[in-house]
Amino acid sequence: MESKVDISHTVPINYKLTVTLVNHFIVSTTQFLNRFASRCDDKLRKVGDGIHRINITLSILEAKLNSIPSASEQQPSAQQQHQHQQQQAP
């Protein structure tokens, strides 16, 4: 593919302008990445705090459930209830 423009007659771009543009690009990209990383850190911290709170709540609920006697220990079996009713019958 041949270019129809003769580059030998074109004026080169000023190197100071090129350096200025590259520096501006680097600075703006770095600022963007720093802001992005900061926002990501904040969001991850909030998610971590939420997970920590949920973990604490879950531990409290598990402790409460473990403090309740199980249903099989608390209620007599059907056979024991039937025997108890027979003993009370006249």
Side-chain angles (χ1 to χ4, degrees):
M1 190 182 264
E2 286 187 40
S3 175
K4 295 181 180 181
V5 177
D6 185 14
I7 358 180
S8 63
H9 294 10
T10 60
V11 180
I13 299 174
N14 186 349
Y15 73 93
K16 288 182 180 180
L17 176 63
T18 304
V19 170
T20 303
L21 291 173
V22 169
N23 282 340
H24 176 70
F25 172 77
I26 291 171
V27 168
S28 63
T29 303
T30 303
Q31 288 173 345
F32 166 76
L33 291 173
N34 284 336
R35 281 192 308 268
F36 180 75
S38 177
R39 288 180 184 159
C40 288
D41 286 342
D42 289 342
K43 288 180 181 184
L44 285 173
R45 183 186 46 79
K46 287 178 184 178
V47 168
D49 290 346
I51 289 172
H52 184 68
R53 265 183 302 184
I54 290 171
N55 195 15
I56 290 171
T57 304
L58 181 61
S59 296
I60 291 170
L61 289 173
E62 285 177 345
K64 286 182 179 181
L65 285 174
N66 288 337
S67 70
I68 299 173
S70 68
S72 61
E73 294 173 5
Q74 193 174 25
Q75 297 178 353
S77 67
Q79 183 181 7
Q80 290 173 343
Q81 287 178 351
H82 181 68
Q83 289 175 353
H84 182 68
Q85 288 173 353
Q86 285 179 348
Q87 290 173 354
Q88 289 183 347

